[in-house]
Amino acid sequence: MENKVKVGIVGATGYAGVELVRLLLNHPYTEIVGISSVSFGGRDISEIYPGLRPEFQKELSSDPQQFLKGCDVVFASLPHGLSEGIALACMENDVLFIDLGADFRLDSENDYRKWYGKPFDYPKLHTQSVYGLCEWFREDIKKAKLVGNPGCYPTSIALGLWPALKKGLIQPKGIIIDSKSGVTGAGRSLTQNTHYPECNEALAAYKAGAHRHLPEIEQTLSKAGSGDVQVTFLPHLVPVNRGILSTIYCDCPADMETVRAAYEEAYGAERFVTVLREGEYANIRNVRCSNSCHISLHRDEHSGKLIVCSAIDNMVKGAAGQAVQNMNLILGLEEDCGLTAVAPAF
Amino acid sequence: MENKVKVGIVGATGYAGVELVRLLLNHPYTEIVGISSVSFGGRDISEIYPGLRPEFQKELSSDPQQFLKGCDVVFASLPHGLSEGIALACMENDVLFIDLGADFRLDSENDYRKWYGKPFDYPKLHTQSVYGLCEWFREDIKKAKLVGNPGCYPTSIALGLWPALKKGLIQPKGIIIDSKSGVTGAGRSLTQNTHYPECNEALAAYKAGAHRHLPEIEQTLSKAGSGDVQVTFLPHLVPVNRGILSTIYCDCPADMETVRAAYEEAYGAERFVTVLREGEYANIRNVRCSNSCHISLHRDEHSGKLIVCSAIDNMVKGAAGQAVQNMNLILGLEEDCGLTAVAPAF
Amino acid sequence: MENKVKVGIVGATGYAGVELVRLLLNHPYTEIVGISSVSFGGRDISEIYPGLRPEFQKELSSDPQQFLKGCDVVFASLPHGLSEGIALACMENDVLFIDLGADFRLDSENDYRKWYGKPFDYPKLHTQSVYGLCEWFREDIKKAKLVGNPGCYPTSIALGLWPALKKGLIQPKGIIIDSKSGVTGAGRSLTQNTHYPECNEALAAYKAGAHRHLPEIEQTLSKAGSGDVQVTFLPHLVPVNRGILSTIYCDCPADMETVRAAYEEAYGAERFVTVLREGEYANIRNVRCSNSCHISLHRDEHSGKLIVCSAIDNMVKGAAGQAVQNMNLILGLEEDCGLTAVAPAF
Amino acid sequence: MENKVKVGIVGATGYAGVELVRLLLNHPYTEIVGISSVSFGGRDISEIYPGLRPEFQKELSSDPQQFLKGCDVVFASLPHGLSEGIALACMENDVLFIDLGADFRLDSENDYRKWYGKPFDYPKLHTQSVYGLCEWFREDIKKAKLVGNPGCYPTSIALGLWPALKKGLIQPKGIIIDSKSGVTGAGRSLTQNTHYPECNEALAAYKAGAHRHLPEIEQTLSKAGSGDVQVTFLPHLVPVNRGILSTIYCDCPADMETVRAAYEEAYGAERFVTVLREGEYANIRNVRCSNSCHISLHRDEHSGKLIVCSAIDNMVKGAAGQAVQNMNLILGLEEDCGLTAVAPAF
């Protein structure tokens, strides 16, 4: 590539934002030309994140409009409701836009209204946007200019179940999903629950039946081919920095050979999804800081249930990494540009 | 009490053993007269666990026979297969015996043989032994001389489901149990999985369909009153020292008022089981180092499932604490003697 | 004791406050009659700390005056500047007052003004108050009605150095103190530094030459008998919940036999200070949740320096535990009432 | 580069070994052609470290001789005493050899004998070997064929003190070094001290005056220009996976402006050493997984001491990263090839 791709990051000091910075600094074909932050506008990002030094020092803008037009690609990582305006400006200026927030994940405005308490600001944009689950919507993504990057829980779950649903191997109803997330999933804002002494050595579920990722999970799984999917989804907070492990229980009349074959067919050629061998268990440790998803398949011989364990790094494949993967797809780059780092062993 | 109860601990340097020491040192009516350890016989226990100093220094015997006859009560915390002989010696000497291992948990010798690979050594002992889940077998325990102390996972699960099963509020089949345990659950023996750098910041399931607590779980739940119970049970290892959280998913035609009433009726007068208020979530943090079980009840309105979260400290209510509670019951002491400590807030 | 001692806790929802609750609930001769909190007045303390259930449920007052007069003893754990008024009210009502904050730790108003930016509000109170380092000011404490409970760092350091200074074995100048504290030392207030993902897997020093415990450290050590002590003190934040380890480097012309003899003479009969054997190292793990201080002594043969490692639980011996010990001393109770729990092994 | 550099790794399943794998996989000009392991010979490395999948799967040799001659560069990460033979074979075959163990760090055979209990096996090799502290021995390294890669503690300490010693700003005697290391520093072998439940929430010093890095520290510092350096060095084990923080206390007659200028002059152009701004503190978090060293400088106004805080990732700049940096120097590559990744923010 002769000229580097010019990238802007809106919300660069949030956790997904700074993870984008980390990944893009290692991307061979991109250049970060603008970063913004409402909280830290005017300061250098390396004051907030000294780990970027000496590699990267750059002043944060208060207003993304200051750099948006000079970008080829803009990523935004913002609370819901704040991305649509930026998306609009990007579309008007022919800038590729990838949203790491929730604004472009749900197809149905009714669903969005129900779960986020507001209508779409620019409904027309939603007809253009594509859901950026790379492995399953790759061809659509390649043609997109506006991508809704999937949520972290939905990514781990959709990758874990899609092959079985696609082949009709499991029942689409009655699926139980017990997900466990590291604390970065709760973001950088301070809360009592994420205060070190109250989070360390602790473990609990939260938001039973009320997590905003639920409609996204069912919407995505229902496209896999087995009809409308209905799940019970319960997230837990685990005292680790990174990682999501989703343990998924399903009714599966098919035998394990068939199941395993379906997963190997689906993911055998995929760069970022690894189906583990029999007897191995997906572990967040083995995908940490990488864009990988590890999937392990287990038959509980006693009850007959199929159990799928799916592990990702919530900040990489569950956020910034998949966003870069989406960018690579659209720009026609190698899909793993900037994403080749393996998980550190410890 | 005029004279203190003389207690011996076999396997005192294992994690459950030293936890027994900690609890009994705070018990107003007991005196530890003998402690044994195969690995550390001849050394003082406070060399292995300096935290016992200055309160408790005592030489470990290699052979429990050296102190067994001088005891009123003997606790053993040993790998399976090693407790029966000690139980026999206790019965012959009219010493109360409480086994923290697996030897006296299963009623059926067939089950034992299947899961532990050997027959009962002394089948007659098993007709005398009582399963020590205090809240539900209290009257039997009071009359017992030989107690099989429940496993940690089974305790969290049985306390969590019993009221609903007893009242017939949930379906006894198709129950999904996703359990998460702290690392002390794996014991003091060194393994790669529990080596700090490989366990820290990690999270995975293990032993799908193959954990030895499974038959104990189903055996116990099947006594609650809804007939034969069948579960899918999957344990996970979480990087915390202490605590088990079992998240249990069931089909429950009854409404939440009825469910909540059943739990409050069952546990309202119980010293060690707390049913949390609506909107609260059971957290291992709130039972740490204490003999409490916290239970929270949730209805997933979306799927209709009842979700029960049950949290205990695996080393206290899941092992040494419940063992002391059993001793108190049999000796006619206040049930909470030595067990009144609340969980430290952090 | 016929009647229980009536205790009030001002600032009961801060970390030291709730730790007082935990310890006093296990004290055989006390009854908590009042608890207050500015932030949570009107709510039950067990909503904020569910781990207290079912043992302890009690409404928090907004104003300690509501219970102060009905108390025999009042403990306060408040930001500096807020304890003097409560102390005055206690003295006027003949209520014993033990302050866990900083208001009564410094003898010199000039020092207080310099480090805390304000004068004493009631200078006369400071002529009555006693510094509550139990092992070294025991006789004064027994006669006191008003106690300034020592800070956590100063406690670990004063216990670690006193015997050597008292006997004149080390040089009082040029002492280097490298202290490491768990995160509860920073309190319950939310900060970015104590946000789980930024505190976990992190380690750094803070407040070089500027920590408010410095004047208290030098004031206390200078009373030990070797003249004015001058130290370099640097605290570090370590990702654990509890514990302080102070590693202290001194010039010590005396030989190790003499040093060890001085420590054994000083602490041989002390219930809460243990001098470890040669080759052992003080570890915060071995004093966790207990009122113990573990001290290990090391000679660096290479450089000749004496190294003292002193470990306490910052929340127990460094705060609430020592406060209870002070109360016991004044009331003529056994010094270890309510403080007999040994450190859990894990 | 037309052809990739062929690299072999001896001891590839130890922690430094697998970290080398991780870094070299991201190196643009290297190819791993051989890996060996005594413990796991014959197995695929991705069975031991599943995080390498899908990127890297390769069978481990039992014997490095199988691949040594086909390599341009061989790295070894072995217990002391095992590298010299491999070094000899490399020299005979004109293969560049970089040793991550201790065999080539000490100049003096007497020192080696004293601290490691054996003589040099091939003394002549030691006249060829160069000490691989890149920032300070760069020109020697460029000409070397045999490199002794520095130890982790010595790297953090030498980078932290060298500029001050070089300019004669601090006293070379009486330096106190309080170092804290993450648990990977103890390696992959199982020990009770590094068993999760006994290491988590724990903190202690170890090996006072007896750590084998001491002679290396003094040897290196004594070359900086202020004459023979004498230090007190005490390492501590901290419950984090990665990172070393060395807190160094020195007598420094010079003023802070002069000190700061010396460090900025020394490191202003260095890619991997960052001198933090006034008021900032070196934190292991900010160098995690990266080859950076962060240094902060503090004057304790009270005692006059200069305090230097130096943070590195013990596994990168303290082991595998610096080894790659050494290889880059010798091969004439950009010094940061394969080492450009910034520290993840969390």
Side-chain angles (χ1 to χ4, degrees):
Chain A
M1 258 198 152
E2 250 171 77
N3 296 311
K4 292 218 167 181
V5 177
K6 289 182 173 49
V7 173
I9 303 172
V10 183
T13 58
Y15 281 170
V18 72
E19 190 73 352
L20 269 170
V21 171
R22 178 177 80 86
L23 295 172
L24 291 172
L25 289 177
N26 242 13
H27 194 291
Y29 305 125
T30 59
E31 180 189 3
I32 301 175
V33 299
I35 51 177
S36 73
S37 161
V38 169
S39 320
F40 299 103
R43 293 179 61 187
D44 193 289
I45 192 171
S46 76
E47 290 176 39
I48 291 88
Y49 292 109
L52 295 172
R53 269 179 268 166
E55 182 78 352
F56 187 67
Q57 308 197 34
K58 193 174 187 68
E59 194 183 309
L60 291 152
S61 305
S62 299
D63 180 2
Q65 303 296 344
Q66 290 174 353
F67 56 75
L68 189 146
K69 291 180 194 174
C71 294
D72 300 309
V73 185
V74 165
F75 296 92
S77 178
L78 298 170
H80 76 270
L82 300 178
S83 289
E84 286 185 89
I86 296 164
L88 187 67
C90 285
M91 294 306 103
E92 289 173 353
N93 289 282
D94 203 30
V95 174
L96 170 60
F97 182 68
I98 297 173
D99 184 32
L100 283 78
D103 286 5
F104 294 97
R105 292 177 189 159
L106 294 183
D107 296 341
S108 148
E109 188 168 359
N110 278 344
D111 281 353
Y112 186 77
R113 201 188 304 261
K114 176 178 167 196
W115 288 90
Y116 292 93
K118 64 178 284 294
F120 288 160
D121 288 334
Y122 307 101
K124 208 183 135 197
L125 286 177
H126 294 263
T127 63
Q128 293 176 255
S129 72
V130 169
Y131 185 69
L133 186 69
C134 305
E135 282 72 16
W136 293 107
F137 300 99
R138 186 174 277 126
E139 296 314 312
D140 291 339
I141 293 165
K142 285 181 180 169
K143 293 174 284 186
K145 300 221 57 172
L146 172 45
V147 173
N149 206 55
C152 49
Y153 287 121
T155 297
S156 72
I157 295 161
L159 291 176
L161 282 183
W162 194 286
L165 287 166
K166 186 182 172 195
K167 296 274 185 182
L169 304 178
I170 58 173
Q171 302 296 337
K173 310 284 182 194
I175 297 170
I176 306 280
I177 306 170
D178 188 290
S179 289
K180 299 97 178 160
S181 173
V183 187
T184 51
R188 192 169 198 248
S189 299
L190 307 181
T191 68
Q192 207 69 49
N193 271 350
T194 53
H195 188 48
Y196 187 88
E198 304 190 24
C199 180
N200 184 36
E201 301 291 301
L203 177 63
Y206 65 101
K207 290 193 188 167
H211 197 287
R212 283 168 165 168
H213 284 176
L214 175 61
E216 183 186 347
I217 292 165
E218 291 192 347
Q219 167 188 289
T220 306
L221 294 179
S222 295
K223 292 175 180 166
S226 285
D228 282 356
V229 168
Q230 186 254 34
V231 307
T232 303
F233 167 61
L234 185 65
H236 299 70
L237 191 67
V238 178
V240 298
N241 274 8
R242 290 164 173 267
I244 282 181
L245 179 70
S246 289
T247 310
I248 311 172
Y249 303 84
C250 1
D251 291 311
C252 173
D255 62 28
M256 280 306 277
E257 248 176 85
T258 309
V259 171
R260 192 163 279 282
Y263 279 77
E264 274 157 15
E265 182 191 327
Y267 294 133
E270 286 295 342
R271 172 67 183 81
F272 294 119
V273 186
T274 297
V275 182
L276 297 178
R277 296 164 195 147
E278 212 184 316
E280 293 183 324
Y281 289 83
N283 192 327
I284 58 169
R285 172 190 169 218
N286 295 325
V287 296
R288 185 166 46 200
C289 294
S290 92
N291 199 47
S292 287
C293 174
H294 276 199
I295 292 172
S296 62
L297 302 167
H298 314 274
R299 172 74 76 181
D300 181 337
E301 296 298 345
H302 178 68
S303 69
K305 294 275 179 186
L306 171 70
I307 306 176
V308 181
C309 296
S310 172
I312 60 168
D313 184 318
N314 56 309
M315 282 293 147
V316 189
K317 185 63 179 170
Q322 186 153 246
V324 172
Q325 191 181 354
N326 274 305
M327 178 192 73
N328 290 341
L329 279 173
I330 298 173
L331 298 179
L333 301 172
E334 290 294 313
E335 197 167 330
D336 66 355
C337 275
L339 299 171
T340 52
V342 299
F346 38 77
Chain B
M1 257 197 154
E2 250 170 79
N3 297 310
K4 293 218 166 182
V5 177
K6 291 183 172 50
V7 173
I9 303 172
V10 183
T13 58
Y15 281 170
V18 72
E19 189 73 351
L20 269 170
V21 171
R22 178 178 79 86
L23 294 172
L24 291 172
L25 288 177
N26 243 13
H27 194 291
Y29 305 124
T30 59
E31 180 189 4
I32 301 175
V33 299
I35 50 177
S36 73
S37 161
V38 169
S39 318
F40 299 102
R43 292 179 61 187
D44 193 290
I45 192 172
S46 76
E47 290 177 40
I48 291 88
Y49 293 108
L52 295 172
R53 268 179 268 165
E55 183 78 354
F56 187 67
Q57 308 196 36
K58 192 174 186 70
E59 194 183 310
L60 291 152
S61 304
S62 300
D63 180 1
Q65 303 296 345
Q66 290 172 353
F67 57 75
L68 189 146
K69 290 181 193 174
C71 293
D72 301 308
V73 185
V74 164
F75 296 92
S77 177
L78 298 169
H80 76 270
L82 300 178
S83 289
E84 286 186 89
I86 295 164
L88 187 67
C90 285
M91 293 306 104
E92 289 173 352
N93 289 281
D94 203 30
V95 174
L96 169 59
F97 182 69
I98 298 173
D99 184 32
L100 284 79
D103 285 5
F104 294 98
R105 292 178 187 159
L106 295 183
D107 296 342
S108 147
E109 188 168 359
N110 278 345
D111 281 354
Y112 186 78
R113 200 190 304 262
K114 176 179 167 196
W115 288 90
Y116 293 93
K118 63 180 281 296
F120 288 159
D121 288 335
Y122 306 101
K124 206 183 138 201
L125 286 177
H126 295 263
T127 63
Q128 294 175 253
S129 72
V130 169
Y131 186 68
L133 185 69
C134 305
E135 283 72 15
W136 294 107
F137 300 99
R138 187 174 277 126
E139 296 314 313
D140 291 340
I141 293 165
K142 284 180 182 172
K143 293 174 283 188
K145 301 220 55 172
L146 172 46
V147 174
N149 207 55
C152 49
Y153 287 120
T155 296
S156 72
I157 294 161
L159 292 176
L161 283 182
W162 194 286
L165 286 167
K166 186 182 171 195
K167 296 274 184 182
L169 304 178
I170 59 173
Q171 303 296 338
K173 309 284 181 194
I175 297 171
I176 306 280
I177 305 170
D178 187 291
S179 289
K180 299 97 177 160
S181 174
V183 187
T184 51
R188 191 168 200 248
S189 299
L190 307 181
T191 68
Q192 208 67 48
N193 271 349
T194 53
H195 188 47
Y196 186 88
E198 305 190 23
C199 180
N200 184 37
E201 301 292 299
L203 177 63
Y206 65 101
K207 289 194 188 166
H211 197 286
R212 283 168 165 167
H213 283 176
L214 175 62
E216 183 187 347
I217 292 165
E218 292 192 343
Q219 166 188 290
T220 306
L221 294 178
S222 296
K223 293 175 181 168
S226 285
D228 281 356
V229 168
Q230 186 254 34
V231 307
T232 303
F233 166 61
L234 185 65
H236 298 71
L237 190 66
V238 178
V240 298
N241 273 9
R242 288 163 174 266
I244 282 181
L245 179 71
S246 289
T247 310
I248 311 172
Y249 303 84
C250 2
D251 291 311
C252 174
D255 62 29
M256 280 307 277
E257 247 175 87
T258 309
V259 172
R260 193 163 279 281
Y263 279 77
E264 274 157 15
E265 183 191 326
Y267 294 132
E270 285 295 343
R271 173 67 184 80
F272 293 119
V273 186
T274 297
V275 183
L276 296 179
R277 296 164 196 148
E278 212 184 317
E280 294 183 323
Y281 289 82
N283 191 327
I284 57 168
R285 172 190 169 219
N286 294 324
V287 296
R288 186 167 43 202
C289 294
S290 92
N291 199 47
S292 287
C293 174
H294 276 199
I295 292 173
S296 62
L297 303 166
H298 314 274
R299 172 74 75 180
D300 182 336
E301 296 299 343
H302 179 68
S303 68
K305 294 276 179 184
L306 171 69
I307 306 176
V308 181
C309 295
S310 173
I312 60 168
D313 184 318
N314 57 308
M315 282 293 147
V316 190
K317 185 63 180 168
Q322 186 153 247
V324 172
Q325 191 182 354
N326 274 306
M327 178 192 74
N328 290 342
L329 279 172
I330 299 173
L331 298 179
L333 302 172
E334 290 294 313
E335 198 166 330
D336 65 356
C337 275
L339 300 171
T340 53
V342 299
F346 37 76
Chain C
M1 260 199 150
E2 248 170 78
N3 297 309
K4 292 219 167 181
V5 177
K6 290 183 174 49
V7 174
I9 302 172
V10 183
T13 58
Y15 281 170
V18 72
E19 189 72 353
L20 268 170
V21 170
R22 179 177 80 86
L23 294 172
L24 291 172
L25 288 176
N26 242 12
H27 194 291
Y29 304 125
T30 59
E31 180 188 4
I32 300 174
V33 298
I35 50 177
S36 73
S37 160
V38 169
S39 319
F40 299 102
R43 293 179 61 188
D44 193 289
I45 192 170
S46 76
E47 289 176 40
I48 291 89
Y49 292 108
L52 295 172
R53 268 179 269 165
E55 182 77 353
F56 187 67
Q57 308 196 35
K58 192 174 187 68
E59 194 184 309
L60 292 152
S61 304
S62 298
D63 181 1
Q65 303 296 345
Q66 290 173 354
F67 57 74
L68 189 145
K69 290 180 196 175
C71 293
D72 300 309
V73 186
V74 164
F75 296 92
S77 177
L78 298 169
H80 76 271
L82 300 177
S83 289
E84 285 185 89
I86 294 164
L88 186 68
C90 285
M91 293 306 102
E92 288 172 352
N93 288 282
D94 203 30
V95 174
L96 170 59
F97 182 68
I98 298 172
D99 184 32
L100 284 79
D103 286 5
F104 293 98
R105 291 178 188 159
L106 294 184
D107 298 339
S108 148
E109 189 169 358
N110 278 344
D111 281 354
Y112 186 77
R113 200 188 304 262
K114 176 179 167 196
W115 288 89
Y116 292 94
K118 66 178 283 293
F120 288 161
D121 288 335
Y122 306 101
K124 207 183 136 197
L125 285 177
H126 295 263
T127 63
Q128 293 176 255
S129 72
V130 168
Y131 185 68
L133 185 70
C134 305
E135 283 71 15
W136 294 107
F137 300 98
R138 188 173 277 126
E139 296 313 313
D140 291 339
I141 293 165
K142 284 181 182 170
K143 293 173 284 185
K145 301 220 58 171
L146 171 45
V147 173
N149 207 54
C152 50
Y153 287 121
T155 296
S156 73
I157 294 161
L159 291 176
L161 282 183
W162 193 287
L165 287 167
K166 186 182 171 194
K167 296 273 185 183
L169 304 178
I170 58 172
Q171 303 296 337
K173 309 284 181 194
I175 296 169
I176 306 281
I177 305 169
D178 188 291
S179 289
K180 300 96 178 160
S181 174
V183 187
T184 52
R188 192 168 199 249
S189 299
L190 307 180
T191 67
Q192 208 68 49
N193 271 350
T194 54
H195 188 48
Y196 186 88
E198 304 190 23
C199 181
N200 185 36
E201 300 292 300
L203 177 63
Y206 66 101
K207 290 195 186 165
H211 196 287
R212 282 168 165 166
H213 283 178
L214 175 62
E216 183 186 346
I217 292 166
E218 291 192 345
Q219 167 188 290
T220 306
L221 293 179
S222 296
K223 292 176 181 166
S226 286
D228 281 357
V229 168
Q230 187 253 35
V231 307
T232 303
F233 167 61
L234 186 65
H236 299 71
L237 191 67
V238 178
V240 299
N241 274 8
R242 289 164 174 266
I244 281 181
L245 179 71
S246 289
T247 310
I248 311 173
Y249 303 84
C250 1
D251 291 311
C252 174
D255 62 28
M256 281 306 277
E257 248 177 85
T258 309
V259 171
R260 192 163 280 282
Y263 279 77
E264 274 157 15
E265 182 191 326
Y267 294 132
E270 286 294 342
R271 173 67 184 79
F272 294 118
V273 186
T274 297
V275 182
L276 297 178
R277 295 163 197 148
E278 212 183 316
E280 294 184 323
Y281 289 83
N283 191 326
I284 58 169
R285 172 189 169 220
N286 294 325
V287 296
R288 186 166 46 200
C289 294
S290 92
N291 200 47
S292 288
C293 174
H294 276 198
I295 292 173
S296 62
L297 302 167
H298 314 274
R299 173 73 75 181
D300 182 336
E301 296 298 345
H302 178 68
S303 70
K305 295 275 178 186
L306 171 70
I307 306 176
V308 181
C309 295
S310 172
I312 60 168
D313 184 318
N314 57 309
M315 282 293 148
V316 191
K317 185 63 179 170
Q322 185 153 247
V324 172
Q325 192 181 352
N326 274 304
M327 179 192 71
N328 290 342
L329 279 173
I330 298 173
L331 298 178
L333 301 173
E334 290 294 314
E335 198 167 330
D336 67 354
C337 274
L339 300 171
T340 52
V342 300
F346 37 76
Chain D
M1 260 199 153
E2 250 170 79
N3 296 310
K4 293 220 167 181
V5 177
K6 289 183 174 50
V7 173
I9 301 173
V10 183
T13 58
Y15 282 171
V18 72
E19 190 73 352
L20 268 170
V21 171
R22 178 178 80 87
L23 294 172
L24 291 171
L25 288 177
N26 242 12
H27 194 291
Y29 305 124
T30 59
E31 180 188 5
I32 301 175
V33 298
I35 49 176
S36 73
S37 161
V38 169
S39 319
F40 299 103
R43 293 179 61 186
D44 193 290
I45 192 170
S46 77
E47 290 177 39
I48 291 88
Y49 293 108
L52 295 172
R53 269 179 268 165
E55 183 77 353
F56 187 67
Q57 308 196 36
K58 191 173 187 71
E59 193 183 310
L60 291 152
S61 304
S62 299
D63 180 1
Q65 304 295 346
Q66 291 172 352
F67 57 75
L68 190 145
K69 291 180 192 174
C71 294
D72 300 307
V73 186
V74 165
F75 296 91
S77 178
L78 297 170
H80 76 270
L82 301 178
S83 289
E84 286 185 90
I86 295 163
L88 187 67
C90 286
M91 293 306 103
E92 289 171 353
N93 289 282
D94 204 30
V95 174
L96 170 58
F97 182 68
I98 297 173
D99 183 31
L100 284 78
D103 286 5
F104 294 98
R105 292 178 187 159
L106 294 183
D107 297 341
S108 147
E109 188 168 359
N110 278 344
D111 281 353
Y112 186 78
R113 200 189 304 261
K114 176 179 167 195
W115 288 90
Y116 293 93
K118 65 178 282 294
F120 288 160
D121 288 336
Y122 307 102
K124 206 182 138 200
L125 286 178
H126 295 263
T127 63
Q128 293 175 255
S129 72
V130 170
Y131 185 67
L133 185 69
C134 305
E135 282 72 15
W136 294 107
F137 300 98
R138 188 173 277 125
E139 296 313 313
D140 291 340
I141 294 165
K142 284 181 181 170
K143 293 173 283 186
K145 302 219 57 173
L146 171 48
V147 173
N149 207 53
C152 49
Y153 287 120
T155 296
S156 72
I157 293 161
L159 291 176
L161 282 183
W162 193 286
L165 286 167
K166 187 183 171 194
K167 295 275 185 181
L169 304 179
I170 58 172
Q171 302 296 339
K173 309 286 182 193
I175 296 169
I176 306 280
I177 305 170
D178 187 291
S179 289
K180 299 96 177 161
S181 174
V183 187
T184 51
R188 191 170 199 248
S189 298
L190 306 181
T191 68
Q192 208 68 48
N193 271 349
T194 54
H195 189 46
Y196 186 88
E198 305 190 22
C199 179
N200 185 36
E201 301 292 299
L203 176 64
Y206 65 101
K207 288 194 188 164
H211 197 287
R212 282 168 166 168
H213 282 177
L214 174 63
E216 183 186 347
I217 292 166
E218 291 192 345
Q219 167 188 290
T220 306
L221 293 179
S222 295
K223 292 175 180 166
S226 286
D228 281 357
V229 169
Q230 186 254 37
V231 307
T232 303
F233 167 61
L234 185 65
H236 298 71
L237 191 67
V238 178
V240 299
N241 274 9
R242 288 163 175 267
I244 281 181
L245 180 70
S246 290
T247 310
I248 311 173
Y249 302 84
C250 1
D251 291 311
C252 174
D255 62 28
M256 281 306 278
E257 248 176 85
T258 309
V259 171
R260 193 164 280 281
Y263 278 78
E264 274 157 15
E265 182 190 326
Y267 294 133
E270 285 295 341
R271 173 67 184 82
F272 293 119
V273 186
T274 297
V275 183
L276 297 179
R277 295 164 197 149
E278 213 184 316
E280 294 183 324
Y281 289 83
N283 192 327
I284 57 169
R285 171 190 169 219
N286 294 324
V287 296
R288 187 166 44 202
C289 294
S290 92
N291 200 47
S292 288
C293 173
H294 276 198
I295 292 173
S296 62
L297 302 166
H298 314 274
R299 171 74 74 180
D300 182 335
E301 295 299 344
H302 177 69
S303 70
K305 294 276 178 185
L306 171 70
I307 306 175
V308 180
C309 295
S310 172
I312 60 169
D313 184 318
N314 56 308
M315 282 294 148
V316 190
K317 185 62 180 169
Q322 186 153 246
V324 172
Q325 191 181 353
N326 274 306
M327 177 192 74
N328 290 342
L329 279 173
I330 299 172
L331 298 179
L333 301 172
E334 289 294 313
E335 197 166 330
D336 66 355
C337 275
L339 300 171
T340 53
V342 299
F346 37 75

